[in-house]
Amino acid sequence: MFDAVVPRSFNTQELHEALRPFVVVPGPMTALSIVVPDLAELVLGAAGQVFGMMLDADVATIEPQSTVVAAASAHVDLTLEDRFTIRLGVHMGVVAATAVAARLTGAHPAKVGDQDRQTVAGEVSNLLMARLHASFSERSLKSEVTTSTLAGGGQVAQPVDGEGLLIGLAISGAGEFFVSLLARNRTPAESPASTAQAPAPPAPVGVY
């Protein structure tokens, strides 16, 4: 019995993509997926709620290209169960960032500038993480959120297998954006007792 039949390809990328569903790569994201196995679905649901509210638009998943370039990016961190740190990044194309900024500010799209698009990326990252935080709370998972950090535009690095995900999303009639999820294991705080220096031994007492 076999789980699947994968046709042999001499294209390295095609072969990698065909085998990937059957390979478990160790790493913090793999460990996180045991705690939250539907993390990607939670992000998609949060995006649907956020853009349904902002633009009255539907959101659908798309396959990210090998090279993703964003006009505006922002990220926000969340600690989960004192065990993981999840960094959620929002990377918006020009069309998507402009459409959302125009809707939020009431400005004509031609009047939307780079600063407006940056602000929108930060706002979207906060809203998505707020929805994730609420989902974790509903499952009695302890989580704490930091404030968002604007990261500018440019090429988006592809996450390493086992450490992160990159989810492509298309907004109906308003362009595309991408959500990156990076996980890392939290290290326990170093105990003060372990860093305290041991007292110096008493000076030897000589016989005179």
Side-chain angles (χ1 to χ4, degrees):
M1 297 293 291
F2 301 95
D3 290 329
V5 176
V6 178
R8 174 66 183 271
S9 173
F10 292 99
N11 182 301
T12 305
Q13 183 63 25
E14 289 181 1
L15 183 61
H16 179 273
E17 292 175 356
L19 292 175
R20 182 65 187 88
F22 308 100
V23 178
V24 177
V25 180
M29 181 58 76
T30 304
L32 175 62
S33 68
I34 298 173
V35 180
V36 190
D38 57 344
L39 182 58
E41 287 77 10
L42 290 178
V43 171
L44 180 58
Q49 292 177 347
V50 168
F51 285 95
M53 175 183 65
M54 284 184 171
L55 300 176
D56 193 22
D58 295 326
V59 174
T61 56
I62 58 174
E63 189 66 28
Q65 301 297 316
S66 56
T67 301
V68 173
V69 179
S73 296
H75 65 257
V76 58
D77 290 348
L78 174 145
T79 60
L80 184 66
E81 292 286 281
D82 293 326
R83 179 181 172 189
F84 302 102
T85 296
I86 305 170
R87 171 160 291 183
L88 182 148
V90 169
H91 316 281
M92 307 191 74
V94 173
V95 175
T98 301
V100 177
R103 181 63 178 268
L104 290 179
T105 63
H108 189 278
K111 299 294 185 180
V112 173
D114 291 341
Q115 186 60 45
D116 299 316
R117 286 185 276 268
Q118 287 288 345
T119 301
V120 159
E123 183 66 19
V124 171
S125 67
N126 281 329
L127 290 172
L128 291 181
M129 188 60 96
R131 290 304 313 148
L132 284 184
H133 176 60
S135 296
F136 294 149
S137 297
E138 291 169 359
R139 302 180 183 192
S140 299
L141 295 173
K142 178 185 175 183
S143 61
E144 297 179 5
V145 182
T146 65
T147 56
S148 64
T149 301
L150 304 184
Q155 185 169 335
V156 181
Q158 292 282 347
V160 177
D161 282 349
E163 297 183 6
L165 302 171
L166 185 63
I167 303 169
L169 298 165
I171 312 166
S172 58
E176 303 172 350
F177 73 105
F178 301 86
V179 176
S180 60
L181 293 166
L182 300 176
R184 65 180 176 86
N185 297 316
R186 287 174 58 83
T187 56
E190 189 174 7
S191 170
S194 64
T195 58
Q197 294 184 350
V205 178
V207 177
Y208 298 97

